[in-house]
Amino acid sequence: MKKLLITLLCCVPLLVQAQQLKDWGKKQLKFATFYTAVTGNNSLADISIYSINPATGILEENIESTPFDYTLAFGVRKIARLDYENRKNVFYNGTETSVSDAATVGNVEGLEYLFEFDYKRQQGSKFVDQQHFLRYVHDHWILKVEYVQDGFADLRYFEASQRYRYNIAKEFSLNIGLVQRFSEPYGFDPLSELAGADFTNIAIEQGYGTNFEGEWINPSGDIVAENNIVWNAVTLPNVLNEYVDQERALLPYQWNHSLVLGYDYYHYTKSFWLHSWASVLPLHVSAKNEYSYTNFVDGNTWFDYTGGLILGWQVNKQLGLFSQGKYHKYWNRSWHDFSVGFNYRII
């Protein structure tokens, strides 16, 4: 009986902790939305390509068809909408994009998150987009962990940041901290010291060659260029792009440690709102690694930055102006989106 009592007394703290953890989990999942969806639409129209058969002199027509576009999305998000944001659809389908998701500071204090995986086919090309982040905003500090893969921009990296936040006013704050990034060795170019015939030699080493008719064939034996003109203008550049991706993939990922300085400004009224933020990474720790980005930059220093702006102005009952966009530049690679315009309501 005594042993049983001791055992029960020992279990009480564990049960209390388990209940606290369960309550914390419920709190973090509250208002979160899990979603999955498949969306699609037609792509480019079929294209007729005409050619004359050199043997018969007969006009021939070939039809190039582009398969339909689609997106397969999986995700979960818990991000408080800002005052100027309205929910576009009743259901999330993975096509939602919000410029404000990239802001340093959200609309509420506490934990927010987004995990989304998109598998896409667009104009016949398949690629993967991913955006995952955890952001914790406090009155005096900000923590964020993020993983980004942008298939269009050919970019993929992991980033963690820890920032001290100083509130100058209710609407305006400054932040300073450290950023750690983990990415493939951007800046490395295996073709930088090559020229002329070396490029063709690389293709030959990859299994490409010519036949007796002067046509170029790939490692599978298919004709990829009818002559040297087509080879040099079209096929060889694609072969070299594949070679660069192949060589870069063989190298280990690199760490970048940087200082970050930033600000966040948010003002809202029903007729006018302005949301702006920016971060600059001016200083970087020089990693002593052969493939570190610092080795490919003159002066071993560079500026990375990111920022966004959302502006809305309801001039009167009829006229409204808007502008929004964000811009990123990391390792001399940039990706961005924007929109600007006006609405005029006839009453």
Side-chain angles (χ1 to χ4, degrees):
M1 184 67 180
K2 183 178 180 181
K3 291 183 179 179
L4 178 60
L5 182 60
I6 293 174
T7 301
L8 291 174
L9 290 175
C10 292
C11 289
V12 169
L14 296 176
L15 293 173
V16 172
Q17 291 179 2
Q19 183 61 42
Q20 290 176 341
L21 183 61
K22 182 178 179 181
D23 293 341
W24 182 85
K26 286 183 177 180
K27 180 180 178 181
Q28 301 309 321
L29 289 174
K30 189 175 182 180
F31 302 122
T33 302
F34 293 84
Y35 56 91
T36 180
V38 178
T39 58
N41 57 273
N42 63 287
S43 187
L44 297 173
D46 294 345
I47 300 175
S48 296
I49 298 179
Y50 298 94
S51 62
I52 298 177
N53 190 311
T56 63
I58 298 176
L59 180 67
E60 297 180 349
E61 178 185 9
N62 294 316
I63 304 296
E64 284 193 1
S65 299
T66 303
F68 69 93
D69 297 344
Y70 66 81
T71 298
L72 175 61
F74 304 90
V76 55
R77 63 184 289 133
K78 181 187 176 183
I79 304 174
R81 291 194 299 273
L82 290 143
D83 300 304
Y84 54 77
E85 292 182 307
N86 292 315
R87 182 149 176 185
K88 182 179 179 181
N89 300 318
V90 176
F91 298 103
Y92 288 117
N93 61 14
T95 62
E96 298 81 9
T97 57
S98 176
V99 175
S100 64
D101 287 353
T104 309
V105 178
N107 196 31
V108 296
E109 289 192 4
L111 181 67
E112 294 185 304
Y113 49 82
L114 169 67
F115 300 94
E116 182 167 327
F117 177 92
D118 297 332
Y119 183 77
K120 300 181 178 181
R121 183 171 68 192
Q122 189 165 344
Q123 296 182 13
S125 298
K126 296 180 180 179
F127 57 93
V128 172
D129 281 353
Q130 295 186 70
Q131 184 180 14
H132 315 298
F133 75 75
L134 290 166
R135 177 177 65 196
Y136 195 97
V137 177
H138 186 269
D139 194 39
H140 296 297
W141 47 270
I142 307 165
L143 299 177
K144 188 174 183 180
V145 180
E146 184 175 24
Y147 178 79
V148 174
Q149 180 177 357
D150 191 316
F152 259 13
D154 188 25
L155 191 83
R156 180 167 52 187
Y157 66 91
F158 164 84
E159 178 178 294
S161 62
Q162 310 83 37
R163 311 189 192 200
Y164 168 72
R165 180 185 180 193
Y166 179 70
N167 296 295
I168 295 178
K170 182 179 180 181
E171 299 176 333
F172 183 58
S173 65
L174 300 175
N175 58 79
I176 182 172
L178 301 175
V179 173
Q180 305 82 41
R181 293 175 294 172
F182 189 59
S183 69
E184 66 177 86
Y186 294 117
F188 168 70
D189 182 5
L191 304 176
S192 60
E193 298 181 357
L194 302 179
D198 293 333
F199 298 140
T200 299
N201 290 336
I202 288 176
I204 293 174
E205 292 173 0
Q206 299 296 307
Y208 291 83
T210 57
N211 56 24
F212 290 109
E213 286 77 23
E215 300 168 325
W216 284 87
I217 57 177
N218 64 16
S220 301
D222 301 320
I223 297 175
V224 292
E226 298 177 353
N227 50 53
N228 287 334
I229 295 177
V230 176
W231 167 257
N232 290 318
V234 180
T235 311
L236 182 56
N238 293 329
V239 174
L240 294 178
N241 286 335
E242 294 175 359
Y243 172 76
V244 170
D245 292 340
Q246 171 186 305
E247 292 298 301
R248 189 178 288 153
L250 297 175
L251 301 178
Y253 271 43
Q254 307 294 308
W255 280 101
N256 291 149
H257 302 274
S258 310
L259 173 71
V260 61
L261 305 171
Y263 80 86
D264 189 274
Y265 178 81
Y266 178 52
H267 169 77
Y268 174 80
T269 66
K270 290 184 177 181
S271 61
F272 179 82
W273 55 88
L274 175 62
H275 188 188
S276 174
W277 66 91
S279 295
V280 180
L281 285 65
L283 298 175
H284 314 273
V285 175
S286 179
K288 296 181 179 179
N289 188 299
E290 180 182 358
Y291 302 107
S292 174
Y293 188 73
T294 56
N295 297 333
F296 308 110
V297 181
D298 292 337
N300 290 335
T301 186
W302 75 96
F303 281 85
D304 286 342
Y305 51 87
T306 179
L309 173 69
I310 299 174
L311 171 67
W313 182 21
Q314 193 64 48
V315 181
N316 52 45
K317 291 183 179 181
Q318 294 175 284
L319 179 62
L321 308 175
F322 69 90
S323 175
Q324 65 176 22
K326 60 182 185 290
Y327 188 91
H328 304 263
K329 183 177 179 294
Y330 279 1
W331 305 293
N332 202 32
R333 307 169 75 90
S334 61
W335 64 107
H336 54 84
D337 59 75
F338 71 91
S339 62
V340 59
F342 71 91
N343 288 181
Y344 186 83
R345 183 182 305 162
I346 300 175
I347 56 177

